[in-house]
Amino acid sequence: MSPFFKCCTGFYSCKWMKSSKRNKSKKRCACWWFSVVAVVSLLSICWMYICMITFNDRDDVNSELFQKLKLRVNWFMVLIIISAVFTSYCLLLLLFALIQVALGEQLDLHWLHKIFLFFGVIFVVAGVTTVIFEWKGEWPTVPLSLQATAPFLQFGAVGALMLLSPFVFQSIKNAKTGSKFLIGGVFLILSAAIFLWPLFIRSPCLKEPQELPKKPKLIGHRGAPMLAPENTIMAFNSSITCNVTAFETDVQVSKDRIPFLMHDHGADFLLRTTDVKEKFSGQHFNDSTNLTFEEVHRLNAGDWFLKTDPFDSVSMLSEEEKERARSQTVPSLLQLLSLAREHTIKVIFDLKSSTKENKKQDTVDIVNTILNSSIDQSLIFWLPDQKEYVSKSAPGFIHVYKNEEDMRKYNGSCLNMKYNELEMEKIRNLREENVTVNLYVVNERWLFSLLWCAGVSSVTTNSCHLLKDVDYPDWVMAPSTYLLIWVLVDIVALFIMIGLFLFWKKYGCCDEDVRRNNTPACNEKELQPLSPKVP
């Protein structure tokens, strides 16, 4: 046995010498564990895919876990690393098992691998359960992503099918009569499903290139939070360099009725993005009205960004930029309005209020602040409620709605929703009705490309510095071109698999005893012409 094959056997079973004993009961158990390895490998790949797709929302996940655990850790990156290690481990285990099957070696999975697989399955099941029940908003991202990845996943699946076919043929040969039909039937059904998968693929990027809509405009989500601390003047200044058309932020009102910028609200709402723990040691603030704006403004709102590096982007900053980030404070709404007026950039914001009564008064204070700032009213995208009052007090504001029902009710024409809450076909229909559709929060290039193909008007993003350089979607393909590629790939794969089957049937039917004795010939008939003639 060569060192490579010995390594494969050693890794899988921790047996470094070739075994000559073959126990039928052990063989059945080994086959069962091989099936377990294959299924767990498939599960780990699916879980890794979910992690990579939901990477777009990593900041939301990290923020939510911080609120619960009060620990500043990049939790999502920890999850990605653990998932990647487990997936790689499973795939290596499966590869070594397949090599042993091809060699006709007896499989004997070591007990330590069985323990790792058991805990790995618990990890994956726990992750999927958390997504389903705790982060329900993430689950629609998975089917949405398939509209961007399905054509290429199908090509990859066809390639994997070709690579696996020799191992399947060998398994059929070694199996008993009943099992032969079972393995062969499952393989044929799986092959048919993979070959015909494109019949069910729907994607907005399957269109003629000349039908591609204009590139969506960019809205800076809390400024440019990958380049500077979120909701600070530095962050909004950084977003201006990305050519954003609007600033997105969150507004709260202080004890002395001054609107300021802060996303988190509720219990310890200042803890994540300021040094409130050091400035007000032992005190807990659960509402914006617990402090005056002067007290809020004294808090440092930048040091946490450099310490935690929430987007792994601090290394992109110069020393001068780091020093500027370290000195950032919580700005007032008036400061942001002055910046927006200076650069003729729109402002869209949500209102964070603890009670319905507070929201009414907060609305009055915010509207007065905006009117007193002398900013052009057409630059304000009003997202909060109290639209009837706002329409009377500031008729120039553009009203934006959080769902289609309210937009239809008030005869609006601007919609702001999460990117996975609106179907691609619906986006196209709204665009034809001249409805402005903005989707949030879009950070990854694949998602931006997909929504571009669908025809969204704009996206709210954390990564404006990356998306501003995207000049064309990742892929746009005419349906006729994709049909041709699909048919050609399937036909070529089918011929290759048939060729492998015929080759295996002719040369791969060696008797196990012959192979075990390292006899190079595979067939007595092939040996006959070379045998000495006996008179």
Side-chain angles (χ1 to χ4, degrees):
M1 187 186 294
S2 70
F4 173 73
F5 295 134
K6 187 180 292 186
C7 179
C8 294
T9 304
F11 182 86
Y12 190 85
S13 61
C14 291
K15 293 180 180 178
W16 303 94
M17 300 300 293
K18 190 170 183 177
S19 176
S20 58
K21 295 182 180 180
R22 299 206 170 220
N23 187 298
K24 288 186 177 181
S25 61
K26 282 188 176 181
K27 187 176 181 181
R28 285 194 295 270
C29 183
C31 290
W32 186 86
W33 275 107
F34 172 75
S35 302
V36 170
V37 171
V39 171
V40 173
S41 297
L42 183 61
L43 286 175
S44 68
I45 291 173
C46 293
W47 170 245
M48 193 67 208
Y49 178 82
I50 293 173
C51 290
M52 296 306 296
I53 289 303
T54 54
F55 189 74
N56 181 82
D57 300 329
R58 62 192 182 278
D59 186 50
D60 295 339
V61 175
N62 286 335
S63 297
E64 187 172 337
L65 287 174
F66 175 82
Q67 295 298 331
K68 293 180 178 180
L69 304 176
K70 306 302 181 186
L71 288 175
R72 284 177 174 163
V73 176
N74 193 337
W75 296 105
F76 201 91
M77 188 54 66
V78 172
L79 176 67
I80 288 284
I81 292 172
I82 295 174
S83 301
V85 169
F86 178 65
T87 302
S88 302
Y89 164 75
C90 289
L91 291 177
L92 278 175
L93 205 59
L94 180 62
L95 176 63
F96 292 147
L98 289 172
I99 291 173
Q100 290 186 78
V101 169
L103 293 173
E105 292 295 320
Q106 183 172 336
L107 296 174
D108 186 14
L109 187 65
H110 193 266
W111 62 268
L112 196 59
H113 291 312
K114 297 175 183 178
I115 293 175
F116 287 156
L117 289 174
F118 174 74
F119 283 109
V121 169
I122 292 177
F123 171 73
V124 172
V125 171
V128 173
T129 303
T130 301
V131 172
I132 292 174
F133 294 103
E134 290 293 323
W135 297 320
K136 296 179 182 178
E138 300 300 320
W139 196 249
T141 305
V142 178
L144 174 67
S145 70
L146 292 176
Q147 297 187 47
T149 61
F152 307 100
L153 290 178
Q154 193 263 343
F155 296 152
V158 170
L161 201 63
M162 287 191 298
L163 293 174
L164 287 175
S165 57
F167 300 106
V168 174
F169 298 152
Q170 185 64 36
S171 299
I172 292 174
K173 176 197 175 297
N174 294 334
K176 294 181 179 179
T177 304
S179 299
K180 290 179 189 289
F181 289 106
L182 177 62
I183 297 173
V186 170
F187 184 69
L188 285 175
I189 293 172
L190 181 62
S191 300
I194 291 175
F195 284 143
L196 299 177
W197 184 3
L199 290 174
F200 307 96
I201 291 176
R202 299 290 181 271
S203 173
C205 293
L206 286 173
K207 62 171 58 182
E208 299 295 337
Q210 61 268 24
E211 296 176 0
L212 183 68
K214 291 183 179 180
K215 179 180 177 179
K217 297 175 181 177
L218 301 180
I219 295 178
H221 184 238
R222 308 175 202 169
M226 289 188 179
L227 304 177
E230 66 177 59
N231 277 332
T232 61
I233 295 301
M234 179 182 176
F236 292 108
N237 272 316
S238 298
S239 71
I240 293 173
T241 64
C242 302
N243 300 320
V244 297
T245 59
F247 298 141
E248 188 279 340
T249 188
D250 306 277
V251 178
Q252 302 184 47
V253 180
S254 65
K255 186 176 183 179
D256 50 348
R257 312 311 302 165
I258 297 178
F260 65 93
L261 311 185
M262 178 63 59
H263 172 265
D264 296 0
H265 65 286
D268 291 324
F269 71 104
L270 295 168
L271 188 60
R272 182 176 67 90
T273 58
T274 71
D275 62 345
V276 66
K277 193 173 181 179
E278 289 74 26
K279 293 282 177 63
F280 296 91
S281 180
Q283 299 185 56
H284 295 274
F285 303 106
N286 301 326
D287 192 271
S288 60
T289 56
N290 294 153
L291 301 98
T292 64
F293 177 70
E294 183 183 354
E295 291 172 322
V296 173
H297 191 62
R298 287 209 318 265
L299 298 174
N300 183 291
D303 202 38
W304 72 276
F305 174 77
L306 300 176
K307 289 179 178 178
T308 62
D309 195 6
F311 295 99
D312 298 315
S313 57
V314 170
S315 59
M316 298 167 53
L317 305 181
S318 64
E319 289 303 319
E320 181 183 349
E321 289 171 329
K322 289 178 183 178
E323 285 303 315
R324 204 185 322 149
R326 188 173 284 109
S327 63
Q328 292 301 298
T329 58
V330 179
S332 67
L333 175 60
L334 189 60
Q335 288 177 275
L336 179 63
L337 294 172
S338 299
L339 185 65
R341 184 184 63 210
E342 179 184 348
H343 296 275
T344 320
I345 293 177
K346 297 178 175 66
V347 177
I348 179 173
F349 60 88
D350 207 356
L351 174 57
K352 307 286 187 179
S353 298
S354 56
T355 65
K356 192 173 182 180
E357 291 72 23
N358 284 352
K359 184 170 288 188
K360 291 180 180 179
Q361 185 56 51
D362 290 351
T363 299
V364 173
D365 294 330
I366 290 172
V367 169
N368 290 336
T369 300
I370 296 173
L371 295 177
N372 292 334
S373 70
S374 301
I375 191 173
D376 187 341
Q377 291 190 23
S378 64
L379 294 178
I380 302 299
F381 282 177
W382 184 267
L383 185 59
D385 298 329
Q386 311 296 326
K387 294 188 182 294
E388 292 181 4
Y389 165 78
V390 174
S391 296
K392 294 176 182 177
S393 304
F397 288 5
I398 298 173
H399 289 268
V400 182
Y401 298 86
K402 299 178 181 179
N403 57 72
E404 187 182 356
E405 183 180 353
D406 286 347
M407 184 189 71
R408 302 289 186 192
K409 179 180 177 181
Y410 293 102
N411 296 318
S413 60
C414 295
L415 196 60
N416 182 68
M417 296 180 66
K418 188 173 180 180
Y419 68 87
N420 58 13
E421 293 178 344
L422 212 55
E423 295 181 358
M424 299 296 103
E425 185 66 20
K426 190 66 178 177
I427 293 173
R428 186 179 67 83
N429 294 338
L430 290 169
R431 183 169 171 269
E432 291 176 354
E433 297 177 32
N434 293 320
V435 173
T436 301
V437 178
N438 177 69
L439 299 181
Y440 65 90
V441 173
V442 178
N443 301 317
E444 296 299 305
R445 181 180 173 122
W446 71 265
L447 182 56
F448 181 69
S449 298
L450 183 67
L451 298 178
W452 183 347
C453 292
V456 298
S457 308
S458 60
V459 298
T460 302
T461 179
N462 291 326
S463 53
C464 62
H465 62 297
L466 301 177
L467 299 186
K468 73 180 177 67
D469 295 327
V470 179
D471 297 322
Y472 199 76
D474 285 342
W475 67 276
V476 176
M477 194 183 303
S480 57
T481 304
Y482 176 61
L483 176 64
L484 179 62
I485 294 174
W486 162 41
V487 172
L488 286 176
V489 168
D490 282 6
I491 289 175
V492 170
L494 191 59
F495 273 107
I496 291 175
M497 289 170 64
I498 291 173
L500 289 172
F501 175 77
L502 294 175
F503 180 85
W504 163 81
K505 190 174 182 182
K506 185 174 181 180
Y507 299 105
C509 296
C510 304
D511 184 84
E512 288 188 9
D513 293 332
V514 175
R515 261 190 285 110
R516 199 177 295 120
N517 294 324
N518 294 318
T519 303
C522 293
N523 195 300
E524 286 186 7
K525 291 183 180 179
E526 293 176 4
L527 283 170
Q528 198 170 19
L530 302 176
S531 302
K533 293 183 180 180
V534 181

